[in-house]
């Protein structure tokens, strides 16, 4: 494949945009080489500026769960745009998407829309602090909750790819209120709670971790967190920015049958436009301005184009009773196919999968937390990434990212991908 035009566009971008990208994970820093500039996308495929076609396993990092340029979403946005793109006044569509989201997700009465997953998580924690009157939070190493100050403590994903899990610019005052636990380690959480009695406002967690590669919660782990929270007056915050409207209609809460106190959304809920949201029971949400004292706001929050895209997406997911089964079946097929060819080629690996989230860890043994994920062989990953790219398959340029399966992927695309893995594995 030729990447002349992408390379030239990247060189131009680097002059005026730090690192040439508006979000670090888009750079190829973790794998080497220069990022690919996309021109258009349709269904399961990306078309880059050099005319290459790539099968897409990133899908805008999750939102395009039904594939690119999904017609109902595109049409909804185009129609809305003709009527005005932003008013800073209430619009009916905000209530429509809120009603639909509340009907799909367990245990929430009200939802507030924001512009990104970062904002959703940041606001959720402020709300938890305002509600409980406590300052500290517990997060898990390798979990990513956006780039706001409280969370850039051992953050996964981009932060881990670049070896800067703790960002300069986060003050010690802020950092001291974020306590760090190991994913899937309930004793660790118990110890933190015991040594900070009545000080912890919330535990925030990705109920299926996706930002240190895909890591499922161990059986009983989320249940144990729920019990600990109940026993200690702590709110349980599920960051479902990745898992929401992806693992099930009602996200991880539904899949694992566990109620969180506050739930954060992003990615799929915006159908590819910039949307985030956080939601909870009335008791908690009524603490938010203008009803309550916890302040949170946004000039473009609930933006009509964004709401139109989100509503079209959620409507489709709500009406298609088979969608989440279909996605899980495709993902399982890919899992089995890749496991077979990697085993045949004697490549050390562990594949983790939940629903339509999957990742190949080039690590020996179970991958259950950040440490076991970080043990993966990054040189193997780099070679794998570039090999797959050459074959026309685009996976995230970092070993710490999950692959997102979309409904637009046909079984022929999955077979093509498995063949590519086989070919690349022979070179590793
Ligand atoms: C992507 C992501 C975020 C951040 O969302 P942005 O829209 O990028 O700000 C937060 N939490 C999780 C679990 C995510 O995957």
């Amino acid at each position: 494949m030729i990447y002349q035009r992408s390379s030239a566009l990247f060189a131009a971008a680097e002059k005026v945009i730090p690192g040439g990208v508006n979000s670090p994970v888009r750079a190829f820093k973790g794998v080497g080489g220069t990022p690919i500039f996309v021109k258009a996308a349709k269904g399961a495929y990306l078309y880059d500026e050099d005319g290459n076609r790539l099968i897409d396993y990133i899908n805008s990092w999750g939102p395009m769960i039904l594939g690119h340029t999904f017609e109902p979403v595109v049409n909804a946005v185009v129609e809305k745009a003709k009527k005005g793109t932003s008013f800073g006044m209430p619009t009916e569509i905000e209530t429509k998407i809120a009603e639909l989201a509340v009907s799909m997700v367990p245990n929430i009465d009200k939802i507030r829309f924001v512009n990104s997953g970062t904002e959703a998580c940041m606001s959720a924690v402020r709300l938890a602090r305002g509600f409980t009157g406590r300052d500290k939070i517990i997060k898990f190493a390798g979990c990513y909750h956006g780039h706001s100050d409280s969370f850039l403590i051992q953050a996964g994903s981009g932060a881990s790819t670049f070896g800067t899990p703790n960002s300069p610019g986060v003050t010690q005052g802020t950092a001291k209120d974020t306590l760090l636990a190991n994913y899937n380690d309930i004793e660790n959480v118990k110890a933190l709670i015991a040594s900070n009695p009545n000080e912890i406002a919330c535990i925030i967690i990705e109920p299926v971790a996706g930002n240190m590669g895909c890591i499922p919660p161990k059986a009983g782990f989320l249940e144990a967190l729920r019990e600990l929270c109940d026993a200690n007056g702590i709110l349980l915050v599920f960051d479902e920015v990745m898992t929401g409207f992806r693992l099930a209609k009602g996200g991880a809460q539904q899949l694992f049958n566990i109620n969180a106190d506050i739930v954060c959304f992003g990615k799929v809920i915006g159908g590819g436009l910039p949307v985030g949201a956080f939601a909870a029971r009335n008791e908690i949400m009524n603490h938010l301005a203008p009803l309550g004292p916890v302040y949170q706001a946004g000039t473009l929050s609930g933006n009509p184009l964004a709401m139109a895209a989100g509503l079209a997406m959620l409507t489709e997911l709500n009406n298609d009773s088979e969608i989440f089964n279909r996605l899980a079946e495709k993902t399982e097929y890919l899992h089995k196919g890749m496991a077979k060819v990697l085993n045949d080629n004697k490549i050390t690996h562990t594949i983790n999968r939940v629903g339509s989230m999957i990742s190949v860890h080039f690590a020996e043994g179970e991958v259950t937390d950040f440490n076991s994920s970080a043990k993966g062989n990054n040189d193997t990953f780099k070679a794998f990434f570039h090999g797959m790219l050459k074959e026309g398959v685009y996976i995230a340029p970092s070993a710490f990212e999950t692959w997102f399966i979309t409904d637009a992927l046909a079984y022929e695309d999955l077979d093509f991908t498995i063949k590519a893995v086989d070919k690349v594995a022979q070179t590793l």
Side-chain angles (χ1 to χ4, degrees):
M1 279 191 197
I2 297 168
Y3 295 110
Q4 267 171 358
R5 206 172 138 67
S6 274
S7 297
L9 290 171
F10 183 59
E14 274 187 301
K15 293 198 178 127
V16 283
I17 300 171
V21 291
N22 279 311
S23 189
V25 288
R26 293 175 201 167
F28 275 20
K29 236 180 127 181
V31 290
T34 53
I36 293 162
F37 277 59
V38 65
K39 189 166 194 180
K42 175 105 193 117
Y45 308 120
L46 297 169
Y47 300 91
D48 74 12
E49 289 281 359
D50 287 284
N52 303 306
R53 192 197 84 169
L54 302 165
I55 299 182
D56 187 12
Y57 284 97
I58 303 183
N59 290 291
S60 185
W61 306 91
M64 321 313 287
I65 191 168
L66 301 174
H68 290 284
T69 45
F70 183 69
E71 253 178 57
V73 171
V74 173
N75 292 341
V77 172
V78 169
E79 284 313 307
K80 253 304 178 237
K82 292 178 187 162
K83 295 181 180 143
T85 57
S86 182
F87 311 109
M89 294 166 70
T91 53
E92 184 181 9
I93 195 166
E94 294 164 76
T95 310
K96 287 230 166 88
I97 185 174
E99 284 170 349
L100 182 56
V102 166
S103 78
M104 291 170 78
V105 176
N107 197 39
I108 63 169
D109 297 318
K110 290 195 174 102
I111 183 165
R112 168 76 49 95
F113 285 92
V114 294
N115 305 292
S116 67
T118 294
E119 259 185 87
C121 295
M122 178 186 84
S123 307
V125 163
R126 183 180 306 142
L127 180 58
R129 285 174 166 152
F131 183 78
T132 58
R134 299 171 175 184
D135 287 346
K136 294 188 176 168
I137 66 170
I138 294 179
K139 84 172 278 287
F140 294 89
C143 280
Y144 180 67
H145 306 295
H147 63 93
S148 87
D149 287 2
S150 304
F151 300 126
L152 286 183
I153 320 286
Q154 288 286 315
S157 191
S160 299
T161 310
F162 304 132
T164 51
N166 310 298
S167 173
V170 175
T171 65
Q172 286 184 358
T174 299
K176 79 170 172 28
D177 285 330
T178 300
L179 309 176
L180 205 62
N182 289 324
Y183 202 82
N184 277 323
D185 183 349
I186 199 69
E187 293 307 320
N188 190 190
V189 179
K190 275 186 195 162
L192 286 175
I193 293 173
S195 54
N196 296 272
N198 302 315
E199 288 189 275
I200 296 164
C202 68
I203 297 177
I204 185 166
I205 186 165
E206 293 180 61
V208 173
N211 286 292
M212 41 184 165
C214 175
I215 298 185
K218 281 186 182 160
F221 178 63
L222 296 174
E223 287 84 350
L225 284 182
R226 178 71 269 174
E227 280 174 25
L228 275 178
C229 284
D230 288 339
N232 293 281
I234 298 170
L235 297 185
L236 182 60
V237 180
F238 271 10
D239 176 356
E240 297 226 41
V241 170
M242 194 181 281
T243 55
F245 307 102
R246 169 167 292 279
L247 297 184
K249 259 192 215 184
Q253 283 195 104
Q254 179 185 334
L255 187 69
F256 298 115
N257 193 25
I258 294 173
N259 287 340
D261 296 302
I262 306 179
V263 190
C264 307
F265 297 104
K267 302 198 166 112
V268 175
I269 199 171
L273 269 77
V275 180
F278 58 106
R281 301 184 303 276
N282 280 326
E283 180 199 3
I284 296 172
M285 288 308 267
N286 292 350
H287 271 251
L288 211 55
L291 283 182
V294 176
Y295 197 70
Q296 182 277 324
T299 301
L300 289 174
S301 292
N303 171 269
L305 301 193
M307 296 295 96
L311 180 60
M313 175 65 84
L314 296 197
T315 301
E316 192 70 25
L317 296 175
N318 192 42
N319 291 346
D320 186 344
S321 59
E322 279 305 306
I323 176 74
F324 297 103
N325 290 337
R326 215 157 56 230
L327 285 167
E329 278 163 18
K330 287 181 183 178
T331 313
E332 184 181 1
Y333 183 86
L334 182 66
H335 180 165
K336 286 187 175 154
M338 291 199 298
K340 180 172 186 310
V341 297
L342 288 172
N343 284 331
D344 288 350
N345 287 289
K346 304 199 166 47
I347 306 293
T348 301
H349 75 280
T350 299
I351 297 178
N352 282 351
R353 163 176 64 91
V354 179
S356 54
M357 292 163 61
I358 181 169
S359 56
V360 181
H361 298 269
F362 291 105
E364 194 152 20
E366 283 194 327
V367 176
T368 58
D369 59 11
F370 182 70
N371 285 338
S372 44
S373 174
K375 276 188 195 133
N377 186 327
N378 206 43
D379 290 333
T380 307
F381 178 80
K382 281 184 201 173
F384 180 72
F385 169 83
H386 284 291
M388 292 299 283
L389 195 54
K390 227 178 251 165
E391 296 300 321
V393 179
Y394 192 52
I395 61 172
S398 161
F400 290 109
E401 303 286 357
T402 293
W403 309 16
F404 298 104
I405 305 306
T406 82
D407 201 37
L409 283 162
Y411 280 89
E412 295 83 74
D413 298 317
L414 301 176
D415 285 333
F416 182 95
T417 304
I418 293 162
K419 269 206 193 108
V421 172
D422 190 17
K423 245 173 137 176
V424 174
Q426 290 168 33
T427 68
L428 294 178

